């Protein structure tokens, strides 16, 4: 049996001074961040009831609204928590007691919308299309016409379980023709994919700091018209911490957080939003698409099968079928040893697919090195298949 020693580990001089190897996160959030965003985390200690934090929070709210395509009539509520927390806050807060929500489900995160509604006792109907199947706006209209008590439609913009990008404009148009409001989970799309609150008819948009906006984990946000937030005062309180009206009233009227926020994450998000707005949503989307096309071309050349037709793929994620003879665990371990973190698929795709993100501060050199590292891993797996050994 190996003896366990309590001697402290001492690094040599070379180990102390050598810069850490770049680790490329190819999971769909958290993402590789700009050095300036990481440095912002080390902002000064700050009390959240002081005017300095009120100024920081107000800046972040304004920039989150702007990057989401909102105008002067819109506002953001920023919540300490993951994107899931912000999605839950929206669903739990905006559906009236006598209302209901039609959830459009074509992947894991569409199913999550349904499950959140169920937890809060909200009447919900799930319209299932199948994983990786585009939403049919005609089916949405038919479901809404058949059930006038449904007041809202919930949809995921970028369904990261498959990489599907759903057509917000067509879906919102179908909902609005029947007088329903639309709640959009844009957690994995806002900041890179086209989102236009007014033009696309989005009533409630949910985002997160740590995906296409390239901030740090820990903050989510909800954007809507100010008058829509104010109208929440008349709706039932289904949750305490995630009550959107509570947060709106605090942030908009008192200019203070309702509860103690994650201040370092606010520092980082403020800087990340500056960078996102300077680059521009369209330019960032083009950068992500360029990286995705470079990656997908390389995967094609290596003989890998990519999920979804090209016209349905988001810029930020690619789902790929595992080649014969290679498990996800083995692939993950081999790539992580070379500085790349990949992501497993979920549920019905988990046994034979994996996912690669092209969100974040990634470079063409990262993509090229990834493909160079991946090639021998695939070749080794192929050589080990029965009947192929030399």
């Amino acid at each position: 049996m190996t003896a366990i020693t309590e001697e402290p580990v001492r690094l040599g001089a070379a180990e102390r001074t050598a810069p850490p190897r770049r680790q490329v996160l190819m999971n769909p959030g958290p993402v590789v961040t700009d050095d300036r965003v990481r440095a912002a985390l080390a902002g000064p200690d700050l009390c959240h009831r002081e005017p300095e934090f009120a100024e920081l929070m107000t800046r972040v709210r304004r920039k989150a609204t702007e990057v989401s395509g909102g105008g002067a009539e819109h506002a953001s509520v920023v919540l300490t928590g993951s994107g899931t927390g912000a999605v839950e806050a929206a669903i739990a807060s905006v559906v009236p007691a006598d209302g209901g929500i039609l959830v459009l489900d074509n992947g894991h995160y569409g199913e999550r919308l349904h499950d959140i509604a169920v937890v809060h006792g909200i009447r919900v109907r799930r319209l299932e299309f199948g994983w990786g199947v585009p939403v049919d706006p005609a089916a949405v209209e038919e479901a809404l016409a058949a059930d006038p008590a449904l007041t809202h439609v919930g949809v995921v913009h970028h369904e990261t379980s498959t990489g599907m990008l759903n057509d917000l404009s067509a879906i919102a148009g179908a909902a609005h023709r029947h007088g329903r409001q639309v709640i959009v989970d844009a957690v994995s799309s806002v900041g890179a994919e086209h989102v236009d609150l007014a033009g696309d008819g989005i009533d409630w948009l949910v985002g997160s700091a740590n995906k296409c906006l390239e901030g740090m984990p820990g903050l989510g946000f909800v954007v809507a018209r100010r008058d829509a937030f104010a109208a929440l005062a008349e709706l039932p309180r289904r949750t305490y911490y995630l009550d959107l009206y509570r947060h709106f009233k605090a942030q908009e009227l008192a200019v203070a957080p309702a509860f103690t926020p994650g201040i370092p994450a606010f520092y980082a998000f403020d800087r990340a939003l500056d960078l996102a707005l300077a680059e521009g949503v369209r330019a960032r989307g083009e950068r992500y698409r360029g990286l995705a096309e470079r990656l997908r071309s390389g995967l094609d050349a290596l003989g890998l099968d990519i999920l979804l037709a090209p016209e349905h793929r988001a810029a930020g994620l690619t789902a790929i079928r595992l080649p014969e003879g290679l498990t996800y665990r083995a692939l993950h371990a081999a790539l992580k040893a070379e500085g790349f973190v990949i992501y497993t698929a979920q549920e019905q795709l988990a046994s034979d697919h994996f996912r690669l993100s092209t969100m974040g501060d990634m470079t063409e050199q990262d993509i090229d090195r990834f493909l160079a590292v991946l090639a021998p891993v695939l070749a080794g797996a192929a050589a080990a298949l029965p009947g192929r050994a030399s």
Side-chain angles (χ1 to χ4, degrees):
M1 183 167 58
T2 303
I4 299 175
T5 176
E6 294 187 6
E7 281 290 317
V9 176
R10 294 183 174 86
L11 299 178
E15 292 172 293
R16 289 197 301 269
T17 58
R21 181 178 63 176
R22 176 175 170 86
Q23 179 167 261
V24 181
L25 300 182
M26 301 188 78
N27 53 282
V31 299
V32 178
T33 52
D34 188 286
D35 289 341
R36 292 166 287 184
V37 173
R38 283 195 297 277
L41 283 170
D45 294 334
L46 184 62
C47 174
H48 62 294
R49 299 300 179 192
E50 291 299 304
E52 291 86 354
F53 182 74
E55 293 168 5
L56 172 62
M57 181 187 70
T58 300
R59 288 198 307 272
V60 167
R61 291 181 63 219
R62 174 181 55 78
K63 294 170 190 175
T65 303
E66 182 179 351
V67 82
S68 302
E73 70 277 20
H74 293 94
S76 292
V77 164
V78 183
L79 304 170
T80 296
S82 67
T84 302
V87 171
E88 183 167 359
I91 293 174
S93 299
V94 310
V95 181
D98 59 351
I101 183 169
L102 176 69
V103 165
L104 311 182
D105 178 359
N106 63 348
H108 172 82
Y109 295 96
E111 183 177 349
R112 179 177 69 174
L113 301 181
H114 168 268
D115 293 348
I116 289 171
V118 169
V119 163
H120 291 281
I122 296 169
R123 182 170 176 268
V124 57
R125 178 178 174 189
R126 178 165 56 173
L127 194 56
E128 295 183 68
F129 295 92
W131 281 41
V133 178
V135 171
D136 178 5
V140 176
E141 294 209 47
E142 182 179 349
L144 292 174
D147 194 342
L150 295 170
T151 53
H152 290 74
V153 174
V155 63
V156 178
H157 188 199
H158 174 194
E159 176 54 77
T160 50
S161 58
T162 61
M164 168 73 72
L165 192 68
N166 287 314
D167 188 342
L168 287 188
S169 183
I171 293 165
H176 287 169
R177 281 191 289 274
H178 292 265
R180 285 16 182 252
Q181 290 191 11
V182 182
I183 303 170
V184 175
D185 173 348
V187 165
S188 295
S189 62
V190 64
E193 300 289 357
H194 172 77
V195 174
D196 184 345
L197 270 82
D200 290 334
I202 300 169
D203 299 288
W204 301 91
L205 181 140
V206 184
S208 176
N210 64 291
K211 292 184 182 275
C212 299
L213 291 172
E214 301 184 6
M216 291 294 180
L219 297 179
F221 59 93
V222 181
V223 190
R225 293 178 58 93
R226 282 189 169 83
D227 56 4
F229 276 118
L232 297 180
E234 306 301 320
L235 299 188
R237 308 272 84 81
R238 295 189 177 98
T239 174
Y240 191 83
Y241 183 81
L242 296 177
D243 177 8
L244 270 187
Y245 181 70
R246 182 191 303 279
H247 288 279
F248 174 74
K249 186 169 65 172
Q251 295 182 15
E252 181 79 2
L253 303 181
V255 196
F259 307 104
T260 305
I263 292 173
F266 269 87
Y267 283 134
F269 197 25
D270 188 37
R271 193 72 184 96
L273 285 166
D274 284 339
L275 297 175
L277 290 167
E279 183 175 13
V281 172
R282 177 174 294 181
R284 179 162 292 183
E286 289 173 354
R287 173 163 65 85
Y288 284 10
R289 273 183 284 278
L291 293 170
E293 288 168 8
R294 194 179 192 94
L295 174 66
R296 291 162 184 167
S297 294
L299 297 172
D300 282 336
L302 291 172
L304 293 174
D305 295 328
I306 299 174
L307 190 68
L308 302 180
E311 64 269 22
H312 297 307
R313 297 173 189 164
L317 186 128
T318 305
I320 308 104
R321 183 179 294 277
L322 283 163
E324 185 181 0
L326 185 61
T327 66
Y328 171 77
R329 179 176 292 184
L331 180 62
H332 179 275
L335 294 172
K336 188 173 182 179
E338 297 295 334
F340 296 96
V341 176
I342 65 172
Y343 217 48
T344 184
Q346 294 162 299
E347 295 170 38
Q348 59 189 267
L349 298 180
S351 64
D352 55 4
H353 283 76
F354 67 102
R355 293 178 291 167
L356 299 174
S357 167
T358 39
M359 304 175 197
D361 190 30
M362 207 176 293
T363 67
E364 292 182 351
Q365 290 73 27
D366 290 329
I367 298 296
D368 292 345
R369 191 168 74 83
F370 172 80
L371 292 168
V373 167
L374 178 62
V377 176
L378 298 179
L385 289 172
R388 300 193 189 182
S390 57

